[in-house]
Amino acid sequence: FETDKGCTALDLHPDNLDTLYSYPVITEDFCDNVGVTFKDQVFNFVPNACFKIVRTWYVIDWCAMENNPNYQPITWQQTIKVQNEIAPVITSSCDSLTQCTPKDNCVDGFITLIATATDVCTPANLLSNVYKIDANNDGTYDTEISNFGGTINASGVYPVGTHRIQYSFEDRCGNVTTCDQIFTIVNCDAPTAICVERVSV
């Protein structure tokens, strides 16, 4: 089942599916009184799919049940594998940032580095994320941190200089979105002029 919209178990309720995949087709005569229900079991991590729903259908003929104490409902399992090719969307800015160090500190400074993302097919808490730090923006990543969730928080104290951070978010379908952000830690204190009075030569 290919979708470019929401694809939770609720989104894939039979009411929202194409007729081909929705409800069982029941043929009954005037003596039947048929009821249909289902129960879903969701598997979030499966190969070749974003996730899988095993939907067990129960078909009950109430007339037959009333007349036959040994009657058993008919059951049938429907497997729905969901696929999606739309990558997560990074909702925060990746524009360059500059942060001044605290007064009289020429070594390092704290900077807020936060990225957020959403996805049409994967809840935020199930997104996997990675951030990499390229200290001094020299083309080599010195730090790599992996986690889960729709938010990356790489805030912290970094040395004076210009650095690069790369944010990556991956959904359950294997789609990845990445952005790079340049950030600079700089000492913004201006020099202080001191006048020396009464100099004799």
Side-chain angles (χ1 to χ4, degrees), residues 11-40:
D11 295 318
L12 296 175
H13 187 280
D15 288 346
N16 300 324
L17 294 180
D18 184 272
T19 303
L20 179 65
Y21 305 105
S22 56
Y23 290 91
V25 177
I26 306 297
T27 302
E28 53 184 324
D29 59 30
F30 64 93
C31 290
D32 297 322
N33 182 15
V34 178
V36 178
T37 188
F38 66 90
K39 182 178 181 181
D40 283 347

Side-chain angles (χ1 to χ4, degrees), residues 84-150:
N84 175 273
E85 296 181 353
I86 299 177
V89 175
I90 295 178
T91 55
S92 53
S93 173
C94 289
D95 293 341
S96 299
L97 296 174
T98 298
Q99 179 64 52
C100 295
T101 64
K103 188 173 179 61
D104 299 327
N105 183 344
C106 299
V107 178
D108 53 31
F110 181 90
I111 189 168
T112 299
L113 299 172
I114 296 177
T116 56
T118 60
D119 187 75
V120 296
C121 201
T122 301
N125 65 306
L126 293 179
L127 289 172
S128 61
N129 65 62
V130 177
Y131 74 84
K132 301 177 183 179
I133 301 290
D134 175 3
N136 300 313
N137 193 26
D138 59 7
T140 301
Y141 290 109
D142 308 280
T143 303
E144 180 174 334
I145 304 294
S146 303
N147 212 328
F148 283 93

